[in-house]
Amino acid sequence: QIIGENGHYALGPAVLTFAEGFRKSFTIRDRVLPYLEKLANFSKETAIFCERYGQSACVTVETWDSPHDTRTFSGTGVVRPLTAGSSALAILAMLPENDISRVVAGKNLVQHTAFTPSTRKQLVDKIKKIKKLGYAVSIRERDLDTGGIAAPVFDDRGVIGSLAVIGPVDRMERNGIQRIGKQVQLIAGQLTGELVSSSKFAPSELRRTAR
């Protein structure tokens, strides 16, 4: 911003907002890593953490690779819509109903494969199933060889992201979709507990800034 009458520039208060967001992002990533390690050790597949990004998207911010030579890779920093893939759908299903309706109505659904939900009714039905199970399953919906199982992660404000296991479909099916789903849900719940607990005990001024 411009300060004084001589037209000099200086950093304004908006920079502090961006700096706080940047700092928080690394704090979240540090906290997520032990839970990704747990998931990868349990499933022997790649584990990822996605954060909600804007109103209708998510972005992968951290991963833990599978120990297998053949494994599924997920790049960080790639923004994806909330309407396809287990990580995205696990977030979408836990948003307030008005937000869900806005995302479902406002997006042209991209059909990555023949298994991707291609109509709004199919997407709504899938959201209902995720709400009932507590985790999202995506088999061949983004890639014909890949499956994903994800559960939502919350803080004291609501859903902020998801933990997921991704890997080759055949191997994941052999290991048991439901078995993996329950474990993803359990570990995502443990991360949620840590985030909610730390929010409760954070200084009130910091909580107001975070909001």
Side-chain angles (χ1 to χ4, degrees):
Q1 66 179 23
I2 300 176
I3 60 172
E5 297 179 355
N6 56 11
H8 289 171
Y9 284 86
L11 296 177
V15 175
L16 297 177
T17 302
F18 288 114
E20 175 63 13
F22 185 76
R23 185 196 65 77
K24 279 178 58 189
S25 175
F26 278 93
T27 300
I28 291 289
R29 290 175 72 177
D30 290 343
R31 290 182 174 181
V32 159
L33 284 173
Y35 298 94
L36 293 178
E37 183 180 14
K38 281 185 186 180
L39 271 181
N41 287 341
F42 171 82
S43 65
K44 301 298 186 287
E45 301 295 351
T46 298
I48 67 174
F49 175 70
C50 288
E51 279 189 334
R52 187 182 181 191
Y53 185 84
Q55 297 298 312
S56 58
C58 66
V59 58
T60 302
V61 298
E62 196 56 85
T63 69
W64 195 286
D65 285 342
S66 164
H68 290 292
D69 291 335
T70 303
R71 57 180 178 259
T72 301
F73 172 79
S74 177
T76 58
V78 179
V79 178
R80 296 177 281 114
L82 289 180
T83 51
S86 62
S87 297
L89 291 170
I91 297 171
L92 177 61
M94 301 303 165
L95 292 177
E97 289 298 330
N98 287 342
D99 289 352
I100 293 175
S101 297
R102 187 159 48 246
V103 171
V104 171
K107 285 286 182 184
N108 292 322
L109 301 182
V110 178
Q111 188 143 22
H112 301 279
T113 74
F115 298 93
T116 310
S118 59
T119 68
R120 288 178 172 79
K121 182 181 184 307
Q122 289 176 344
L123 184 57
V124 169
D125 288 345
K126 193 167 185 71
I127 289 169
K128 290 178 180 177
K129 185 174 182 180
I130 295 166
K131 286 179 180 288
K132 182 177 180 179
L133 284 176
Y135 58 88
V137 178
S138 171
I139 301 297
R140 297 189 171 94
E141 290 183 8
R142 291 185 59 84
D143 182 276
L144 287 176
D145 298 319
T146 304
I149 304 169
V153 174
F154 302 83
D155 67 7
D156 63 328
R157 296 165 293 173
V159 63
I160 61 164
S162 62
L163 282 180
V165 168
I166 58 174
V169 172
D170 292 345
R171 197 163 64 207
M172 292 184 72
E173 289 181 338
R174 285 197 304 270
N175 290 332
I177 298 297
Q178 185 177 17
R179 171 177 171 268
I180 298 172
K182 291 295 184 183
Q183 189 68 15
V184 174
Q185 186 180 23
L186 174 65
I187 294 176
Q190 292 171 353
L191 175 57
T192 290
E194 179 181 334
L195 295 177
V196 170
S197 177
S198 63
S199 295
K200 288 179 179 177
F201 291 101
S204 59
E205 186 60 36
L206 178 58
R207 288 204 303 271
R208 285 198 293 272
T209 302
R211 290 173 191 273

